[in-house]
Structure formats: C-alpha cells, structure tokens
Amino acid sequence: MSTPSPVRVAAVLSTEHRGRLMSQAHEVNFHEGAHLFDEGTRADSFWIVRSGTVTLQVPLTGRRPTPVENLGPGELVGWSWLFPPYVWQLSAEAMTPVRAYEFNGTKVRMLMDADCAFGSAIGHWVGRVLALRLHQTRTRLIDLYAPRLAAG
C-alpha cells in the first residue's frame, strides 16, 4: 500500500511541461485528519504532495472507509478533475500534516486544450496514475474480501 510510485510528477513530465504545470500551482497546507475531498462531491482541484501523507479511501456503507493507497511527496492526489462529470470517485484524508501544491482543474484543462503537447503529456501522466490507482484499489479490495468469500 505504500510502495514508491512510478508516476511521480518529476519522473513523468518533461522539465518544460512540469514548469508549465507548476506555474499554475499555489501552496496549501492540510492538518492531520483533514479531508481533501469526499467521494461523490465536485472535483475541481488536484494536488501534488510536497510533504506528508495522504490516504486514498473507499467509503463503504455501514463501515469505516477502507484505505487503498498512501501518497507521498511528488505524487498526484486526484484525477477526477480531468474527466466529466468531474465528481470524486474516492475520498482523500491527510494522515499527517501535509504541504501540497494545489491546482485549479478548470484552468489546467484550458491550458491542455490550448497546447496539444502539454495536454497530451498531462493526459498520459494522469492516465498512468489512474491505471495504477485502479490496480491498487482492486488489489486492496481483493485482500479485504477474498478471505471472507472463501470462508463463506
């Protein structure tokens, strides 16, 4: 659940595209226990963690949220801002004090539309993140539920 990510922004985006993206950033801080977003709410921002740990969670009816991945420095928090209907598919909570760069999803989408190379680079990065998150969520849910199904 906390293995190093192969999709950290510095490893994936070129210096030019990373610089263009970072020109849209502003610094924010979250205290331990703060919710960055909740599943089902409007997704209009995203973050790159500078320090601290953010946990992605799957809310389950009648149970505590199930953590599926811990994110650390250089990692993207949030991809739902890129895809209509722009609604969060998971929840995110600061597990420690977190410093992050925050981005306005609408403004970044506009930049992506205006510059095809930049848009392609961001789209491929977010796509890689999404594929990894899907795999990790699936693995976590199998770990949680497969023993119960086998025993049942």
Side-chain angles (χ1 to χ4, degrees), residues 19-31:
R20 183 133 190 230
L21 177 65
M22 295 309 294
S23 74
Q24 300 299 306
H26 70 276
E27 295 182 22
V28 295
N29 298 300
F30 297 98
H31 63 274

Side-chain angles (χ1 to χ4, degrees), residues 65-86:
T66 299
V68 293
E69 186 175 5
N70 291 325
L71 305 176
E75 293 186 286
L76 174 67
V77 179
W79 51 264
S80 298
W81 61 274
L82 187 54
F83 305 103
Y86 312 116

Side-chain angles (χ1 to χ4, degrees), residues 20 82 86 105-120 122:
R20 183 133 190 230
L82 187 54
Y86 312 116
T106 302
K107 288 182 181 178
V108 173
R109 285 194 311 270
M110 289 171 47
L111 288 175
M112 292 171 68
D113 289 343
D115 179 341
C116 292
F118 177 74
S120 178
I122 297 296

Side-chain angles (χ1 to χ4, degrees), residues 7-28 46-51 73-77 81 99-104 107-109 111-112 115 118 121-122 125:
V7 292
R8 292 187 197 286
V9 66
V12 176
L13 294 179
S14 70
T15 303
E16 176 188 347
H17 292 144
R18 194 170 55 249
R20 183 133 190 230
L21 177 65
M22 295 309 294
S23 74
Q24 300 299 306
H26 70 276
E27 295 182 22
V28 295
F46 64 97
W47 301 264
I48 296 174
V49 177
R50 295 179 58 217
S51 65
E75 293 186 286
L76 174 67
V77 179
W81 61 274
R99 293 184 320 149
Y101 294 112
E102 184 174 63
F103 301 85
N104 178 302
K107 288 182 181 178
V108 173
R109 285 194 311 270
L111 288 175
M112 292 171 68
D115 179 341
F118 177 74
I122 297 296
W125 171 50

Side-chain angles (χ1 to χ4, degrees), residues 145-152:
Y145 293 106
R148 291 183 189 162
L149 296 173

